Amino acid sequence: MKLSKAKYDEIARFITTLKPSRQCMRQLKERFPRQSQSTLLSIFSQEYQKLTKRTHARHHAPDTIETYYSRYLNGVAVDPAAPVLLNLANEVDFSPALIARIVLERFLQDQDSPPPTKPVLNSMLREPSLIPDPVLANQVHQCIINDCCNGPLVDCIKHSIGYEHEVLLREKLLERNLAFLDEDQLRIKGYDKTPDFILEVPVAVDGHVIHWIESKASFGDESSHRMYLQDQFWSYWNRRFQSSKPVYFCVENSENKSKRKERSLKPAARCWRNMA
């Protein structure tokens, strides 16, 4: 299944009016009932990640951090049980999980201990009970569970979905009696960076010879595909894995384009349906 550029743009424009909460998915589904939940969630996540990257520096400016921390302290002083950080994140239109990280790091700087390291911060975000202040621990917990795009909970969900789709793709290859090598087998052979599956006997899909398949449990928009080309796909080509078929399980943009070897690294949506 493919999504037209016009429909994708319409969804992206509507997403700009939403906040990164779990309630936003209900609004998206009501507005675009013909699109699957997984497609809408993937597009929303990718569009919001773009916004986060564009505004990251502004939210991490020293004076901004102090403002956020002061507002947190004033808010919990009035009502410790109120969702102060979550409300702040919605007000400034920034990821709740990232707001929680900013305030937590600032809080730890006031403690009589060495400056917080990245592993320490990550462990406290994964397990807020490790935070020495119970009020802040509750605030961080609220942000983590209400953020649908960032944070340790979302990371776990993404990892699980990615693994689930790799298993699904493996099952489809086995159903069609296609001989293949997976990542673990390729690493044993000495390859350090590999696609998910290399077909020992290439197959034809839509008139294109496929040597390897990379599974992506996400929407295949143009910018994401370009990023994957730069970070992964071209390196596979350079390792003599030859032509390929990235599989975007959450639908792809029907007008996705890439000029360099475009025909050899053409994205697909659930391409196993067409495998001979």
Side-chain angles (χ1 to χ4, degrees):
M1 178 180 178
K2 296 184 179 183
L3 191 68
S4 70
K5 182 65 162 58
K7 178 60 68 174
Y8 171 80
D9 289 341
E10 183 183 355
I11 295 173
R13 284 194 299 270
F14 184 73
I15 286 173
T16 62
T17 68
L18 303 176
K19 301 293 183 182
S21 66
R22 301 197 179 278
Q23 290 71 36
C24 71
M25 292 311 304
R26 184 181 66 253
Q27 297 172 265
L28 263 177
K29 190 61 178 175
E30 290 173 353
R31 179 65 178 79
F32 303 99
R34 298 185 63 181
Q35 304 302 325
S36 70
Q37 183 87 357
S38 60
T39 295
L40 293 174
L41 179 57
S42 185
I43 295 176
F44 180 86
S45 178
Q46 290 173 194
E47 289 300 309
Y48 198 76
Q49 292 291 347
K50 296 174 189 176
L51 174 63
T52 299
K53 290 178 181 179
R54 291 196 298 268
T55 61
H56 184 274
R58 173 163 57 86
H59 291 288
H60 286 77
D63 57 338
T64 304
I65 292 175
E66 292 301 321
T67 298
Y68 291 165
Y69 189 55
S70 296
R71 291 190 58 178
Y72 159 72
L73 292 176
N74 294 334
V76 296
V78 174
D79 184 1
V84 176
L85 289 184
L86 188 58
N87 291 340
L88 174 61
N90 289 332
E91 179 184 332
V92 302
D93 196 18
F94 198 52
S95 159
L98 295 181
I99 285 286
R101 186 185 187 94
I102 289 171
V103 172
L104 173 60
E105 185 171 10
R106 178 62 183 81
F107 165 80
L108 292 175
Q109 289 172 358
D110 279 350
Q111 308 305 301
D112 294 329
S113 58
T117 63
K118 186 175 180 179
V120 169
L121 280 172
N122 289 340
S123 63
M124 289 185 176
L125 291 170
R126 285 193 300 268
E127 183 50 71
S129 63
L130 298 175
I131 300 173
D133 185 304
V135 174
L136 180 55
N138 181 55
Q139 295 285 329
V140 170
H141 178 70
Q142 290 176 349
C143 288
I144 296 300
I145 63 175
N146 281 284
D147 196 323
C148 63
C149 297
N150 293 284
L153 177 59
V154 172
D155 291 342
C156 288
I157 293 172
K158 287 180 178 179
H159 178 77
S160 297
I161 292 174
Y163 181 74
E164 176 186 352
H165 284 80
E166 284 185 27
V167 171
L168 177 61
L169 183 53
R170 175 192 292 272
E171 291 175 352
K172 295 298 180 180
L173 293 172
L174 291 173
E175 284 178 10
R176 285 157 177 74
N177 295 318
L178 297 176
F180 61 86
L181 297 174
D182 61 23
E183 285 182 292
D184 293 335
Q185 293 170 311
L186 290 168
R187 289 197 179 99
I188 292 175
K189 290 178 175 290
Y191 293 104
D192 59 336
K193 195 171 185 179
T194 68
D196 291 326
F197 301 98
I198 288 183
L199 302 179
E200 295 191 285
V201 179
V203 298
V205 178
D206 296 332
H208 183 71
V209 178
I210 304 304
H211 293 260
W212 57 263
I213 303 174
E214 176 75 18
S215 169
K216 296 297 179 187
S218 62
F219 180 83
D221 70 331
E222 186 173 352
S223 62
S224 296
H225 186 59
R226 191 184 307 115
M227 178 190 70
Y228 288 132
L229 284 172
Q230 182 65 35
D231 295 345
Q232 290 182 278
F233 301 158
W234 295 138
S235 67
Y236 299 161
W237 178 285
N238 293 335
R239 283 169 169 75
R240 302 178 185 277
F241 293 149
Q242 303 184 55
S243 54
S244 68
K245 203 70 166 178
V247 180
Y248 293 96
F249 281 84
C250 297
V251 189
E252 66 161 316
N253 188 329
S254 63
E255 298 174 38
N256 216 344
K257 295 179 180 179
S258 176
K259 293 183 179 179
R260 183 185 175 193
K261 298 190 185 80
E262 179 177 319
R263 296 181 180 178
S264 298
L265 287 171
K266 179 182 177 184
R270 303 184 184 277
C271 71
W272 66 77
R273 292 181 179 176
N274 299 321
M275 286 183 178

